């Protein structure tokens, strides 16, 4: 049986496994806004799928099951918000 991860390590795991996914979403959104003229929404969907996959990979790398669902949920939700805001910007322009 594994021992639970202390709260300070949980915070560190959240920072090291969630923030890179959010940064990837932001960079991908900026690239979609600046580089694509047509099929922007398809590229935006690709950015979101990539963020979700990277989220799962980062969680597997940490090899810690305590808080796994929470970290994946936070990373995916943050990416979704970035993609949603970008989609609204694309609709307006």
């Amino acid at each position: 049986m594994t021992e639970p991860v202390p709260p300070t390590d949980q915070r560190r795991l959240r920072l090291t496994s969630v923030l890179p996914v959010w940064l990837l979403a932001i960079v991908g959104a900026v690239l979609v806004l600046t580089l694509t003229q047509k099929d922007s929404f398809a590229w935006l969907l690709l950015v979101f799928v990539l963020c979700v996959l990277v989220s799962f990979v980062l969680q597997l790398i940490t090899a810690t099951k305590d808080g796994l669902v929470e970290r994946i949920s936070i990373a995916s939700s943050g990416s979704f918000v970035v993609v949603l805001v970008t989609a609204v910007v694309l609709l307006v322009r």
Side-chain angles (χ1 to χ4, degrees), residues 1 12-13 19 25 38 43 45-46 48-49 52 62-64 66 70 75 78 81 86 93:
M1 182 181 232
R12 184 184 55 79
L13 277 174
L19 284 181
K38 62 178 193 172
W43 284 106
L45 177 63
L46 185 65
F48 181 66
V49 169
V52 171
T62 61
T64 304
D66 292 335
E70 179 185 3
V81 169
T86 307
R93 75 171 185 175

Side-chain angles (χ1 to χ4, degrees), residues 14-76:
R14 267 190 229 121
L15 284 176
T16 59
S17 63
V18 171
L19 284 181
V21 176
W22 289 355
L23 291 174
L24 176 65
I26 292 169
V27 168
V30 168
L31 288 175
V32 166
L33 285 173
T34 57
L35 298 178
T36 60
Q37 295 300 321
K38 62 178 193 172
D39 296 332
S40 299
F41 291 103
W43 284 106
L44 200 55
L45 177 63
L46 185 65
V47 167
F48 181 66
V49 169
L50 182 64
C51 287
V52 171
L53 288 175
V54 168
S55 172
F56 278 103
V57 168
L58 287 176
Q59 299 315 315
L60 290 174
I61 289 173
T62 61
T64 304
K65 66 180 183 178
D66 292 335
L68 174 75
V69 174
E70 179 185 3
R71 291 190 308 270
I72 289 175
S73 300
I74 292 170
S76 298

